[in-house]
Amino acid sequence: MALLKVKFNQKKRVKLAQGLWLMNWFSVFAGILVFSMGLFLKIELRKRSEVMDNSESHFVPNSLILMGILSCAFNGFAGKICYDSLDPTKFAKWKPLLKPYLALCCVFNMLIFFVALICFLMRGSLDSTLAQGLKNGMKFYRDTDTPGRCFMKKTIDMLQIEFKCCGNNGYKDWFEIQWISNRYLDFSSKEVKDRIKSNVDGRYLVDGVPFSCCNPSSPRPCIQYQVTNNSAHYSYDYQTEELNLWRRGCREALLNYYSGMMSSMGAVILLVWLFEMSVMVGLRLLHTSLESIANPEDPECESEGWVLENSLKDTFKSALENLKKLGKFNQVEAGAEGAEGEEGGKTPAITTVS
């Protein structure tokens, strides 16, 4: 029994073709939207590529851009087929291409669904990318005189100001690295010498943070240095009092920003996928309804359209049987080639009688 079997007359076929033509052009605009989302996400990721460890995060925007281009191409082609299906003479040239085209549509829709899932599942990979990238970026914060790294201080400062964050996981991350350049340190000072000597790696570590960690909404002037020294500030307790520094780490801030953006895009792509699936089903019904016309010379006669010629169970069984036959055929061919090789390798024994 055919799946989703529907009876059509000429009026219904015309309405289906016209509706599909309109839906395909809506899908073209949806493809442009997907392409634009991918381009926007790629630009947003490139803005902060200095604090990302690798280029894996660009897989999602690249996939969206590709899906957008393919969607425009596929749906533009389908729109032409639906328009020509109103004229039997024009539709005749598309008949041999419809089955391969529908097979490609199935593959395309599976890819769209896969990209939508990736948008939701990319958070874990993005988390590790940001964690390592921010860690490296903070190490290079002081290298304002080093070619290729002189921009990192500005990048980190602008990032902390824009996203209202501090450090990788929190403001205490700055205590573990030397973020003040050596050119601004007085090495004749006893305090500087003692701090450098007290560190195994010879780094100048302080319990302070860059100015960009300061929260301008705090009524108290920013306590940027000696953050953990209660006696250095009047009426201050860093453990109980809410600091006038951003509490949230930049990894969390960026992760929430990008994962929220990707989740929204994933939801949009799922809607596009559902729309594309409905277009593909409609195109299949149009194809089968035109193919099953009993008398091509009488376009007004009734016909039947379906999505699958047999039930889903029978279609699955048939596909499995075809795969098994293909496997057996390959085994037979391999066995025949082996037998030919053995025969060719034998050398006839020659006996001489004297």
Side-chain angles (χ1 to χ4, degrees):
M1 183 179 176
L3 182 67
L4 289 178
K5 196 172 185 180
V6 183
K7 285 189 177 181
F8 289 92
N9 54 29
Q10 187 187 20
K11 188 177 179 181
K12 285 184 178 180
R13 286 193 295 268
V14 169
K15 282 186 176 179
L16 178 61
Q18 290 174 340
L20 285 172
W21 178 83
L22 188 62
M23 288 176 72
N24 274 294
W25 283 109
F26 275 123
S27 295
V28 169
F29 290 117
I32 294 171
L33 175 64
V34 172
F35 176 84
S36 303
M37 288 192 303
L39 197 61
F40 173 75
L41 182 58
K42 194 171 184 68
I43 292 170
E44 285 296 304
L45 288 171
R46 280 199 176 277
K47 280 182 184 178
R48 298 166 188 96
S49 58
E50 296 89 356
V51 293
M52 292 187 178
D53 184 44
N54 53 45
S55 59
E56 287 179 10
S57 53
H58 288 272
F59 175 76
V60 172
N62 291 341
S63 300
L64 291 177
I65 290 170
L66 178 62
M67 289 298 106
I69 294 171
L70 289 177
S71 179
C72 292
F74 272 93
N75 290 293
F77 182 70
K80 174 64 175 172
I81 292 174
C82 293
Y83 182 79
D84 286 350
S85 66
L86 299 172
D87 186 351
T89 55
K90 289 183 178 179
F91 181 72
K93 64 181 180 181
W94 299 117
K95 279 186 178 181
L97 299 175
L98 273 173
K99 280 188 178 180
Y101 174 75
L102 286 167
L104 285 174
C105 282
C106 288
V107 175
F108 172 66
N109 284 322
M110 284 191 288
L111 288 174
I112 288 182
F113 186 73
F114 173 73
V115 171
L117 286 181
I118 290 296
C119 287
F120 292 110
L121 301 174
M122 198 67 183
R123 185 181 176 92
S125 175
L126 193 61
D127 189 8
S128 58
T129 296
L130 285 169
Q132 190 60 42
L134 282 166
K135 187 178 179 181
N136 293 334
M138 289 170 66
K139 285 180 182 177
F140 302 144
Y141 182 88
R142 64 173 181 164
D143 296 338
T144 51
D145 298 326
T146 306
R149 296 178 186 172
C150 54
F151 61 86
M152 190 56 74
K153 179 184 180 299
K154 180 183 177 182
T155 300
I156 296 292
D157 282 333
M158 293 303 294
L159 177 68
Q160 294 187 146
I161 291 170
E162 181 181 353
F163 285 90
K164 299 179 179 180
C165 59
C166 184
N168 191 345
N169 298 307
Y171 69 92
K172 289 185 179 179
D173 292 336
W174 289 108
F175 301 171
E176 300 171 3
I177 62 169
Q178 180 182 337
W179 55 272
I180 301 174
S181 176
N182 287 337
R183 68 182 291 190
Y184 302 114
L185 295 176
D186 182 8
F187 286 95
S188 62
S189 169
K190 184 177 182 301
E191 181 191 351
V192 173
K193 288 179 180 179
D194 290 343
R195 282 190 178 274
I196 292 175
K197 286 179 181 179
S198 65
N199 187 265
V200 177
D201 298 326
R203 295 178 297 171
Y204 181 75
L205 303 182
V206 293
D207 56 341
V209 296
F211 78 97
S212 52
C213 284
C214 295
N215 181 356
S217 301
S218 174
R220 181 169 189 153
C222 184
I223 296 176
Q224 182 184 352
Y225 295 102
Q226 296 185 326
V227 176
T228 59
N229 187 358
N230 293 335
S231 61
H233 312 284
Y234 176 73
S235 184
Y236 175 76
D237 185 350
Y238 84 96
Q239 291 181 326
T240 58
E241 184 178 342
E242 181 155 349
L243 300 179
N244 48 10
L245 304 175
W246 299 119
R247 291 278 189 175
R248 186 171 62 162
C250 290
R251 179 185 60 82
E252 182 188 350
L254 283 173
L255 185 62
N256 291 339
Y257 174 71
Y258 284 121
S259 59
M261 188 186 298
M262 287 184 185
S263 296
S264 300
M265 289 181 178
V268 172
I269 295 164
L270 276 179
L271 291 175
V272 172
W273 173 74
L274 289 172
F275 194 74
E276 291 283 356
M277 287 293 291
S278 63
V279 171
M280 187 180 71
V281 169
L283 191 60
R284 174 63 175 167
L285 288 171
L286 179 65
H287 169 226
T288 51
S289 66
L290 290 170
E291 285 283 332
S292 62
I293 293 176
N295 184 10
E297 295 180 359
D298 182 16
E300 295 185 4
C301 68
E302 290 189 350
S303 63
E304 291 182 341
W306 56 83
V307 175
L308 293 176
E309 194 170 357
N310 300 313
S311 65
L312 195 62
K313 185 179 179 181
D314 292 339
T315 304
F316 185 69
K317 282 182 179 179
S318 178
L320 281 178
E321 287 175 3
N322 289 334
L323 286 173
K324 286 178 181 177
K325 287 178 182 177
L326 185 63
K328 287 178 181 178
F329 180 72
N330 289 335
Q331 286 176 2
V332 169
E333 280 191 342
E337 287 176 1
E340 285 177 5
E342 287 178 5
E343 289 177 3
K346 289 179 182 178
T347 55
I350 299 174
T351 55
T352 56
V353 180
S354 56

